[in-house]
């Protein structure tokens, strides 16, 4: 075969396969932009070599074969495609307008009126109403024959089962079934939870739902609909313009998209194209372009059709939101709280209007689900302001290599290796762990990891932790940025001279800060434990730990024992500490980098009173009791009341449950009071609390 011959045959085979995957299986393996690129290459080759044109070429046909699982529906009026203008700029509209005017033979001073609409990215449907009642809904199929999907279409709330007003004897309404982005996100979240395959985009999800055999599955995927045209019509004076016809469909109760305009000439089309481009990201559904239609229906008839498309309409697309590219590497990023996120480094690709070189892979489960590997060809999606994502791998572009099974036999295995999460943090070298039931891996070097540094320092200095007066976020930013502070221990090594190096740091504020730092050296064990920022260890847990262990070394020793189950059970012997919290404490205190910082803090004068564990249990009147405070008390602040309760051996908890012994309620108490009443928890006012505190312990 000569070379254009061979290429034409190759392209037809590929396009037929992609058509089948897209139109018949609702599972395309390449993005539309890739299909469009090959389609245009074929169109150009056929135009340059007219001898190669055949009627069965994909350039001459619409859609795919209807599936035999559905009843066939013959369309009285064929369902066509729309020609696509590939020029993304103003040239696209101008080309169309010039062609229409030429074909209509219009003199240059007359402009054409157009109806400009959105090009919804969904699935074309024909709804047949007889005397106002929905009797059939069919897909486009190959344009001549579609599939009967009435059972699924009836589950779409937006599609009226009966038309409003005086309906024609027969009215076939053509339109697009689509899925809103929020419904799509919710659907994918559900699929992920069930461990099932996620959908690449809302169009595939919608198309798959419409072509379900079981209407219950379709009903679970919330779909929407917009009408944009007509099929067969009997006994109706169709309005003379396309826009008038859409108004009439809306009056029948059919959803018609409000983002449409009647405009004149190429300039009007360009304005519409640009104004929609500016708000494309904010629309609640995906569009892939706009459609221009000659508004006057008599002129439409005059212009007529070519094989697969009307001559009076054109689709003017926007830059694609999905493109193919290759994964050059997979790196991990460490977030401010230690979460480790895998990121694909991509060969640069223009998608959704920007050049993308990185795309999130979310977490290891997603990587496994997609089976994405370094070297793979992948589909990257960037829709709206959402960060770019790898949504699928083009498996048949992954090369295979031979691997020997034994001396005689070899087998084909993928050339690329599966990705493994690193076992240590790429930023600080600390261990990386995955908590039970969590998708994310985390770095355990909370006190030393640069990625987590600012957040950790702010928490350390905060009022309920070390309470370092004057050390707020701006100062933390500055101290970290100039390299004066790397870990919390560095705070206690700051001197007046070093502080003077900082921008806009007056001598007075420097000495105030140093006084604040100095004051914080005397603290309590509970505050210190809380200040460390151990994951899942809040103030109450820190107090529980301090009360139970009395000494920090006792806690460190227990948590970092070689025998993991022994360590976890000691930690879980502390009231209210369960397996998740116990794991977090162990992970943190077993990390040598963290313990080193704790040692440096002590060496720099941070101290607290310590107790023998046996002495620590306070013997107060509220020993073993859990209280919850709500509303405003007449004289005590929340913190004062809490401190009194704790000094009396009680625990101040945040929410009411069956385990709550008393609710202390002040003015404007809300839902906690209702809940306590519901559960029969005794309610105290401030006076009753004080009376209880004054009692001798039992
Ligand atoms: P099309 O989908 O681009 O255009 C025609 C369709 O536009 C109509 O059938 C209708 O459903 C829809 N439409 C949306 N809004 C409309 C409006 N306001 N007025 C009229 N129609 C409106 O063309 P096509 O021939 O149906 O399919 C080609 C498209 O499918 C291309 O975008 C192509 O990339 C994609 N495709 C992709 C693959 C793949 O493998 N990824 C394979 C085949 C086709």
């Amino acid at each position: 075969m000569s070379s254009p011959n061979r290429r034409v045959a190759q392209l037809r085979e590929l396009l037929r396969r992609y058509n089948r995957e897209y139109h018949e299986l609702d599972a395309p393996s390449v993005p539309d932009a890739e299909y469009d690129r090959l389609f245009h290459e074929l169109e150009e080759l056929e135009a340059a070599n007219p001898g190669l044109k055949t009627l069965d070429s994909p350039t001459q046909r619409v859609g795919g074969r209807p599936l035999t699982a559905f009843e066939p529906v013959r369309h009285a009026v064929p369902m066509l495609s729309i020609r696509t203008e590939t020029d993304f700029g103003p040239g696209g509209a101008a080309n169309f307008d010039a062609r229409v005017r030429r074909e209509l033979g219009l003199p240059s001073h007359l402009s054409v009126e157009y109806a400009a609409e959105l090009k919804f990215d969904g699935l074309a449907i024909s709804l047949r109403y007889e005397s106002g009642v929905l009797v059939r809904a069919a897909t486009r199929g190959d344009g001549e024959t579609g599939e009967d999907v009435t059972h699924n279409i009836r589950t779409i709330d937006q599609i009226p089962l009966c038309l409003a007003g005086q309906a024609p004897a027969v009215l076939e309404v053509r339109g697009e079934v689509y899925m809103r982005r929020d419904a799509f996100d919710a659907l994918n979240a559900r699929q992920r939870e069930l461990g099932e395959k996620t959908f690449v985009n809302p169009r595939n999800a919608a198309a798959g739902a419409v072509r379900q055999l079981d209407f219950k599955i379709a009903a679970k995927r919330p779909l929407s609909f917009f009408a944009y045209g007509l099929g067969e019509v009997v006994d109706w004076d169709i309005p003379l313009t396309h826009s008038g016809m859409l108004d009439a469909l809306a009056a029948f109760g059919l959803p018609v998209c409000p983002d449409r305009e009647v405009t004149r000439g190429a300039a009007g089309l360009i304005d519409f194209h640009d104004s929609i481009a500016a708000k494309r990201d904010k629309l609640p559904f995906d569009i892939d372009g706009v459609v221009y239609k000659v508004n006057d229906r008599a002129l439409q008839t005059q212009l007529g059709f070519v094989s697969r498309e009307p001559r009076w309409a054109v689709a003017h697309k926007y830059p694609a939101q999905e493109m193919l590219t290759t994964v050059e590497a997979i790196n991990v990023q460490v977030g401010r709280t230690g979460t480790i996120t895998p990121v694909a480094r991509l060969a640069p690709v223009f998608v959704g209007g920007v050049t993308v070189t990185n795309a999130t892979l979310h977490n290891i489960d997603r990587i496994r689900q997609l089976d994405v590997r370094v070297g793979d060809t992948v589909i990257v999606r960037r829709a709206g302001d959402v960060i770019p994502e790898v949504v699928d791998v083009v498996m048949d572009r992954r090369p295979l290599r031979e691997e020997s099974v034994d001396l005689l036999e070899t087998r084909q295995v993928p050339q690329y290796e599966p990705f493994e999460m690193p076992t240590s943090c790429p930023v600080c070298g600390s261990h990386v762990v995955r908590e039970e039931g969590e998708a994310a891996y985390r770095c355990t070097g909370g006190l030393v990891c640069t990625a987590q540094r600012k957040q950790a320092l702010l928490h350390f200095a905060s009022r309920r932790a070390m309470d370092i007066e004057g050390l707020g976020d701006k100062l933390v930013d500055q101290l970290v940025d100039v390299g004066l502070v790397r870990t919390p221990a560095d705070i206690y090594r700051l001197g007046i001279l070093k502080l003077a190096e900082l921008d806009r740091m007056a001598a007075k504020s420097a000495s105030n800060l140093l006084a604040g730092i100095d004051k914080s050296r005397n603290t309590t064990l509970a505050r210190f434990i809380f200040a460390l920022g151990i994951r899942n260890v809040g103030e109450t847990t820190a107090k529980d730990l301090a009360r139970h262990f009395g000494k920090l070394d006792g806690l460190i020793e227990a948590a970092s024992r070689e025998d993991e189950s022994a360590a976890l059970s000691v930690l879980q012997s502390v009231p209210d500490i369960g397996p998740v919290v116990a794991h977090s404490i162990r992970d943190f205190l077993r990390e040598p980098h963290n313990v080193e910082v704790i040692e440096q803090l002590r060496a720099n004068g941070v101290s607290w009173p310590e107790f023998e564990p046996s002495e620590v249990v306070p013997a107060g009147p509220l020993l073993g009791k859990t209280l919850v405070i709500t509303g405003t008390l007449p004289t005590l602040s929340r913190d004062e009341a809490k401190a009194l309760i704790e000094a009396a051996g009680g625990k101040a908890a945040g929410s009411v449950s069956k385990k709550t012994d008393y609710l202390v309620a002040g003015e404007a108490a809300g839902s906690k009071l209702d809940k306590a009443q519901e559960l029969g928890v005794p309610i105290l006012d401030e006076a009753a609390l004080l009376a209880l505190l004054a009692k001798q312990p039992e």
Side-chain angles (χ1 to χ4, degrees):
M1 258 196 273
S2 69
S3 126
N5 261 3
R6 200 174 317 127
R7 184 63 185 153
V8 163
Q10 239 175 15
L11 287 169
R12 285 183 184 158
E13 193 188 315
L14 257 184
L15 289 169
R16 280 193 193 112
R17 193 184 111 202
Y18 292 155
N19 265 328
R20 197 173 57 249
E21 290 172 351
Y22 182 90
H23 292 292
E24 296 172 27
L25 309 176
D26 300 317
S29 63
V30 293
D32 290 359
E34 177 69 3
Y35 175 90
D36 294 346
R37 190 177 67 81
L38 300 172
F39 189 93
H40 286 297
E41 189 186 338
L42 179 59
E43 269 188 329
E44 274 172 17
L45 277 174
E46 287 177 344
N49 305 277
L52 296 180
K53 245 190 183 155
T54 58
L55 276 180
D56 69 343
S57 170
T59 55
Q60 307 302 310
R61 305 187 71 88
V62 167
R65 252 179 327 189
L67 292 192
T68 48
F70 298 97
E71 282 296 313
V73 176
R74 207 158 162 80
H75 301 301
V77 176
M79 291 179 79
L80 300 178
S81 178
I82 299 184
R83 174 152 203 89
T84 296
E85 199 42 79
T86 42
D87 180 342
F88 295 137
N95 287 346
F96 173 60
D97 183 54
R99 179 166 62 77
V100 166
R101 296 163 51 76
R102 195 174 54 244
E103 285 175 15
L104 289 174
L106 284 185
S108 58
H109 64 277
L110 286 183
S111 63
V112 180
E113 186 175 85
Y114 294 107
E117 298 168 7
L118 305 186
K119 184 164 189 295
F120 315 110
D121 207 1
L123 183 76
I125 287 288
S126 181
L127 306 174
R128 185 177 174 90
Y129 289 88
E130 291 180 4
S131 305
V133 177
L134 177 67
V135 293
R136 193 165 313 112
T139 62
R140 187 176 62 168
D142 62 7
E144 302 285 331
T145 307
E147 300 149 322
D148 187 337
V149 288
T150 318
H151 58 301
N152 292 334
I153 295 300
R154 280 189 204 280
T155 67
I156 303 177
D157 287 345
Q158 282 193 337
I159 295 183
L161 299 178
C162 291
L163 296 180
Q166 269 291 335
V170 173
L171 178 69
E172 271 184 14
V173 179
R174 303 253 159 108
E176 196 89 345
V177 171
Y178 66 94
M179 190 178 282
R180 287 172 55 105
R181 279 189 203 135
D182 51 1
F184 170 73
D185 290 341
L187 172 65
N188 263 356
R190 223 166 36 233
Q191 292 290 105
R192 243 171 258 129
E193 233 164 65
L194 298 172
E196 307 219 339
K197 194 169 164 24
T198 49
F199 296 93
V200 167
N201 55 39
R203 194 218 94 96
N204 293 347
V210 168
R211 301 171 79 240
Q212 280 294 329
L213 292 174
D214 179 355
F215 77 91
K216 288 194 221 89
I217 298 182
K220 278 197 204 132
R221 301 198 192 152
L223 298 171
S224 307
F225 176 79
F226 280 132
Y228 55 63
L230 292 179
E232 189 184 9
V233 173
V234 178
D235 270 354
W236 188 38
D237 281 336
I238 307 175
L240 298 178
T241 59
H242 179 81
S243 56
M245 181 270 291
L246 290 185
D247 293 339
L249 293 185
F252 283 135
L254 288 153
V256 174
C257 181
D259 285 301
R260 60 192 170 102
E261 253 173 48
V262 174
T263 183
R264 293 197 86 85
L269 295 178
I270 292 164
D271 282 351
F272 182 77
H273 176 270
D274 293 352
S275 72
I276 298 299
K279 64 179 190 186
R280 179 188 186 190
D281 291 352
K282 289 178 208 89
L283 293 171
F285 47 82
D286 275 4
I287 57 169
D288 56 354
V290 286
V291 186
Y292 309 138
K293 297 174 180 172
V294 171
N295 201 26
D296 185 323
R297 295 189 50 258
L299 292 184
Q300 287 184 0
T301 312
Q302 204 178 321
L303 285 159
F305 299 85
V306 282
S307 64
R308 65 193 297 275
E309 53 213 18
R311 296 167 103 97
W312 44 264
V314 76
H316 194 177
K317 289 208 178 177
Y318 293 120
Q321 293 180 321
E322 283 163 20
M323 291 298 274
L324 283 189
T325 186
T326 49
V327 178
E328 294 182 333
I330 298 177
N331 299 148
V332 297
Q333 270 175 358
V334 189
R336 273 159 40 95
T337 56
T339 318
I340 298 203
T341 311
V343 178
R345 306 280 174 221
L346 305 169
V349 60
F350 190 72
V351 55
V354 297
T355 300
V356 164
T357 50
N358 295 319
T360 178
L361 290 165
H362 297 281
N363 52 49
I364 192 74
D365 292 342
R366 186 72 80 89
I367 293 184
R368 293 274 176 271
Q369 233 169 29
L370 294 170
D371 187 21
V372 53
R373 304 179 184 195
V374 175
D376 273 338
T377 299
V378 292
I379 302 178
V380 183
R381 178 171 165 86
R382 182 184 177 275
D385 300 331
V386 182
I387 47 172
E389 260 192 299
V390 170
V391 286
D392 216 349
V393 177
V394 186
M395 285 299 172
D396 57 10
R397 302 219 182 161
R398 179 185 286 172
L400 298 172
R401 66 179 166 82
E402 301 242 306
E403 187 186 72
S404 36
V405 179
D406 52 37
L407 274 179
L408 297 173
E409 208 186 320
T410 58
R411 65 175 169 195
Q412 298 266 311
V413 292
Q415 180 149 7
Y416 309 135
E417 295 303 321
F419 171 77
E420 297 296 341
M421 264 306 204
T423 50
S424 59
C425 171
V427 176
C428 72
S430 300
H431 290 102
V432 162
V433 295
R434 185 183 203 181
E435 282 171 18
E436 230 178 270
E438 289 235 337
Y441 279 74
R442 285 175 193 283
C443 161
T444 55
L447 290 184
V448 289
C449 186
T450 337
Q452 304 171 62
R453 194 170 278 166
K454 287 182 180 171
Q455 176 121 328
L457 287 167
L458 267 178
H459 171 77
F460 183 85
S462 65
R463 201 168 58 81
R464 312 188 81 93
M466 297 300 281
D467 193 16
I468 306 180
E469 213 164 300
L471 191 53
D473 48 2
K474 289 215 177 68
L475 200 50
V476 165
D477 278 354
Q478 255 189 319
L479 288 168
V480 171
D481 293 345
V482 302
L484 276 180
V485 170
R486 285 174 307 121
T487 74
D490 293 333
I491 297 175
Y492 295 94
R493 298 191 188 112
L494 288 171
I496 198 91
L497 287 178
K498 281 191 179 167
L499 286 177
E501 289 171 22
L502 295 181
D503 262 4
R504 277 176 286 147
M505 180 60 119
K508 177 114 175 54
S509 26
S511 68
N512 283 348
L513 175 64
L514 288 178
I517 292 173
D518 199 35
K519 194 164 150 227
S520 75
R521 281 194 163 92
N522 289 323
T523 184
T524 65
L525 179 55
R527 274 179 177 271
F528 186 77
I529 295 173
F530 176 57
L532 294 176
I534 304 172
R535 199 168 143 70
N536 297 317
V537 175
E539 231 182 326
T540 310
T541 307
K543 282 180 186 157
D544 290 342
L545 287 167
R547 201 177 294 156
H548 185 87
F549 287 96
K551 294 182 171 177
L552 184 64
D553 289 335
L555 169 62
I556 298 179
E557 219 176 273
S560 53
R561 281 183 190 201
E562 214 36 57
D563 180 345
E564 176 167 15
S565 62
L568 294 175
S569 70
V570 175
L571 290 170
Q572 286 180 65
S573 70
V574 180
D576 293 332
I577 290 188
V580 172
V581 181
H583 266 288
S584 300
I585 299 169
R586 176 172 166 81
D587 290 339
F588 187 94
L589 292 176
R590 244 166 69 90
E591 178 53 54
H593 296 106
N594 291 335
V595 177
E596 205 175 296
V597 174
I598 293 175
E599 288 316 322
Q600 289 169 7
L601 283 162
R602 290 206 270 209
N604 280 282
V606 175
S607 68
W608 51 84
E610 296 207 329
F611 307 92
E612 285 307 321
S614 55
E615 301 170 18
V616 288
V617 181
L622 292 181
L623 185 59
K625 303 274 188 241
T626 302
L627 289 82
V628 175
I629 311 169
T630 182
T632 314
L633 301 177
T635 65
L636 293 173
S637 73
R638 251 315 146 99
D639 285 346
E640 284 165 346
K642 218 169 150 185
L644 286 174
I645 290 169
E646 284 167 356
K651 217 176 113 175
S655 59
V656 177
S657 73
K658 273 190 279 184
K659 291 194 189 144
T660 311
D661 292 293
Y662 298 107
L663 179 79
V664 182
E667 183 111 1
S671 60
K672 287 184 190 165
L673 182 58
D674 299 341
K675 177 114 191 254
Q677 279 165 340
E678 200 178 294
L679 294 173
V681 172
I683 294 158
L684 308 176
D685 59 10
E686 185 182 285
L689 172 69
L690 292 172
L692 204 59
L693 289 168
K695 268 202 194 158
Q696 285 308 306
E698 291 153 18

